[in-house]
mmCIF file of all heavy atoms in Angstrom:
data_model
loop_
_atom_site.group_PDB
_atom_site.id
_atom_site.type_symbol
_atom_site.label_atom_id
_atom_site.label_comp_id
_atom_site.label_asym_id
_atom_site.label_seq_id
_atom_site.Cartn_x
_atom_site.Cartn_y
_atom_site.Cartn_z
ATOM 1 N N ALA A 33 66.163 39.189 53.673
ATOM 2 C CA ALA A 33 65.678 39.797 54.921
ATOM 3 C C ALA A 33 65.541 41.290 54.783
ATOM 4 O O ALA A 33 64.628 41.894 55.328
ATOM 5 C CB ALA A 33 66.637 39.446 56.069
ATOM 6 N N GLU A 70 79.400 39.612 40.672
ATOM 7 C CA GLU A 70 80.760 39.087 40.635
ATOM 8 C C GLU A 70 81.308 38.952 42.043
ATOM 9 O O GLU A 70 80.933 39.677 42.943
ATOM 10 C CB GLU A 70 81.641 40.012 39.809
ATOM 11 C CG GLU A 70 81.200 40.109 38.346
ATOM 12 C CD GLU A 70 82.108 41.033 37.586
ATOM 13 O OE1 GLU A 70 83.030 41.600 38.215
ATOM 14 O OE2 GLU A 70 81.918 41.178 36.370
ATOM 15 N N ASN A 122 47.115 54.289 53.865
ATOM 16 C CA ASN A 122 47.190 54.909 55.189
ATOM 17 C C ASN A 122 46.265 56.106 55.316
ATOM 18 O O ASN A 122 45.796 56.425 56.393
ATOM 19 C CB ASN A 122 48.628 55.336 55.482
ATOM 20 C CG ASN A 122 49.564 54.142 55.536
ATOM 21 O OD1 ASN A 122 49.141 53.057 55.923
ATOM 22 N ND2 ASN A 122 50.814 54.341 55.129
ATOM 23 N N PRO A 126 38.695 62.317 51.193
ATOM 24 C CA PRO A 126 37.232 62.386 51.038
ATOM 25 C C PRO A 126 36.846 62.722 49.612
ATOM 26 O O PRO A 126 37.533 63.491 48.939
ATOM 27 C CB PRO A 126 36.834 63.515 52.003
ATOM 28 C CG PRO A 126 38.053 64.351 52.127
ATOM 29 C CD PRO A 126 39.229 63.407 52.020
ATOM 30 N N TYR A 190 17.416 89.437 34.337
ATOM 31 C CA TYR A 190 17.118 88.003 34.267
ATOM 32 C C TYR A 190 15.848 87.722 33.462
ATOM 33 O O TYR A 190 15.669 86.602 32.963
ATOM 34 C CB TYR A 190 16.965 87.423 35.670
ATOM 35 C CG TYR A 190 18.266 87.064 36.350
ATOM 36 C CD1 TYR A 190 19.491 87.300 35.723
ATOM 37 C CD2 TYR A 190 18.277 86.486 37.613
ATOM 38 C CE1 TYR A 190 20.676 86.982 36.344
ATOM 39 C CE2 TYR A 190 19.476 86.154 38.234
ATOM 40 C CZ TYR A 190 20.671 86.398 37.599
ATOM 41 O OH TYR A 190 21.845 86.074 38.214
ATOM 42 N N VAL A 247 7.832 116.616 25.770
ATOM 43 C CA VAL A 247 8.527 117.370 24.727
ATOM 44 C C VAL A 247 9.989 117.654 25.066
ATOM 45 O O VAL A 247 10.859 117.511 24.202
ATOM 46 C CB VAL A 247 7.774 118.680 24.420
ATOM 47 C CG1 VAL A 247 8.636 119.614 23.562
ATOM 48 C CG2 VAL A 247 6.467 118.381 23.700
ATOM 49 N N ASP A 266 -1.079 96.140 27.312
ATOM 50 C CA ASP A 266 -2.485 96.160 27.685
ATOM 51 C C ASP A 266 -2.681 95.592 29.094
ATOM 52 O O ASP A 266 -1.717 95.243 29.785
ATOM 53 C CB ASP A 266 -3.332 95.409 26.655
ATOM 54 C CG ASP A 266 -2.992 93.928 26.576
ATOM 55 O OD1 ASP A 266 -2.294 93.419 27.478
ATOM 56 O OD2 ASP A 266 -3.424 93.264 25.605
ATOM 57 N N TRP A 271 2.240 92.862 25.006
ATOM 58 C CA TRP A 271 2.902 93.999 24.374
ATOM 59 C C TRP A 271 2.608 94.031 22.880
ATOM 60 O O TRP A 271 2.617 92.996 22.213
ATOM 61 C CB TRP A 271 4.416 93.928 24.582
ATOM 62 C CG TRP A 271 4.850 94.223 25.984
ATOM 63 C CD1 TRP A 271 5.054 93.321 26.984
ATOM 64 C CD2 TRP A 271 5.118 95.507 26.533
ATOM 65 N NE1 TRP A 271 5.440 93.967 28.132
ATOM 66 C CE2 TRP A 271 5.490 95.315 27.891
ATOM 67 C CE3 TRP A 271 5.087 96.801 26.041
ATOM 68 C CZ2 TRP A 271 5.830 96.359 28.738
ATOM 69 C CZ3 TRP A 271 5.422 97.856 26.879
ATOM 70 C CH2 TRP A 271 5.789 97.625 28.209
ATOM 71 N N LYS A 300 -8.427 100.926 19.010
ATOM 72 C CA LYS A 300 -9.110 102.091 19.581
ATOM 73 C C LYS A 300 -8.170 102.880 20.468
ATOM 74 O O LYS A 300 -8.175 104.132 20.454
ATOM 75 C CB LYS A 300 -10.345 101.635 20.367
ATOM 76 C CG LYS A 300 -11.185 102.770 20.921
ATOM 77 C CD LYS A 300 -12.419 102.238 21.630
ATOM 78 C CE LYS A 300 -13.259 103.369 22.194
ATOM 79 N NZ LYS A 300 -14.475 102.847 22.897
ATOM 80 N N CYS A 343 1.430 84.164 17.313
ATOM 81 C CA CYS A 343 2.107 83.306 18.282
ATOM 82 C C CYS A 343 1.146 82.658 19.272
ATOM 83 O O CYS A 343 1.536 81.744 20.012
ATOM 84 C CB CYS A 343 3.159 84.113 19.055
ATOM 85 S SG CYS A 343 4.468 84.758 18.015
ATOM 86 N N GLU A 367 6.932 94.721 4.410
ATOM 87 C CA GLU A 367 7.064 93.349 4.915
ATOM 88 C C GLU A 367 7.618 93.416 6.327
ATOM 89 O O GLU A 367 8.840 93.418 6.532
ATOM 90 C CB GLU A 367 7.995 92.529 4.008
ATOM 91 C CG GLU A 367 8.121 91.063 4.420
ATOM 92 C CD GLU A 367 6.812 90.314 4.259
ATOM 93 O OE1 GLU A 367 5.986 90.711 3.402
ATOM 94 O OE2 GLU A 367 6.617 89.333 4.986
ATOM 95 N N THR A 376 18.706 85.659 20.300
ATOM 96 C CA THR A 376 19.635 86.695 19.842
ATOM 97 C C THR A 376 19.156 88.079 20.255
ATOM 98 O O THR A 376 19.946 88.914 20.725
ATOM 99 C CB THR A 376 19.800 86.613 18.316
ATOM 100 O OG1 THR A 376 20.262 85.304 17.967
ATOM 101 C CG2 THR A 376 20.786 87.647 17.830
#
Side-chain angles (χ1 to χ4, degrees):
E70 297 180 358
N122 297 329
Y190 277 2
V247 168
D266 64 14
W271 288 93
K300 184 177 180 180
C343 297
E367 183 66 27
T376 303

